[in-house]
Amino acid sequence: MKKTSLKRRGKSELSKLKAKSWAAFSKYIRQRDKYTCITCNKNLAGSRALQAGHYISRRFNNTLFDERNVHAQCMYCNMFKAGNIGVYTLKLQEKYGEGIIKELTEKSLQIKQWTPQELKDIFDKYSNML
Ligand SMILES: [Zn+2]
């Protein structure tokens, strides 16, 4: 019983760190993209409806914090249009070249476990860039 609670605590520590790193990273991404939705070009500076939307789902750990996989996106495109993925694909190819989809997809398929140190480094890196 003790073991289980320790394990659970360890896990939530990591997910807390992940959430913290994500907050800094996504803030940086929205700033980098000048608060403009990558798929519909709407400018949402100062709006809570502006999010940082993944091209490849955030469920894939290895591309979670890849700057090429995440862009400013309005809530409408990100959530109600499921990422507006057709347009998102074209925009990524425009921005990074034709090979980007294959590259990100292959990267996403590699298993990745974030360590607490890596997450702290991500947090520091992007906090400093804000
Ligand atoms: Zn949009």
Side-chain angles (χ1 to χ4, degrees), residues 37 39-40 74 77:
C37 176
T39 42
C40 75
C74 74
C77 287

Side-chain angles (χ1 to χ4, degrees), residues 10 13-14 17 21 113-122:
E13 210 49 54
L14 202 68
L17 270 174
S21 306
Q113 302 282 12
W114 294 101
T115 66
Q117 190 56 56
E118 284 174 317
L119 292 171
K120 279 176 195 159
D121 290 346
I122 289 171

Side-chain angles (χ1 to χ4, degrees), residues 14-23 61 64-65 114 119:
L14 202 68
S15 57
K16 264 187 225 160
L17 270 174
K18 214 183 211 180
K20 224 178 120 182
S21 306
W22 170 252
N61 243 345
L64 183 63
F65 294 111
W114 294 101
L119 292 171

Side-chain angles (χ1 to χ4, degrees), residues 1 3-5 11 15 21 38 42 45 50-51 73 75 77 79 83 89 95-96 99 103 105 108 111 113 118-119 130:
M1 207 145 152
K3 243 184 184 168
T4 315
S5 70
K11 221 179 192 176
S15 57
S21 306
I38 188 173
K42 210 177 286 160
L50 184 71
Q51 305 179 330
Q73 201 168 39
M75 195 164 63
C77 287
M79 298 175 85
T89 302
K95 208 167 169 173
Y96 305 106
E103 204 182 310
T105 303
S108 75
I111 302 298
Q113 302 282 12
E118 284 174 317
L119 292 171
L130 294 172

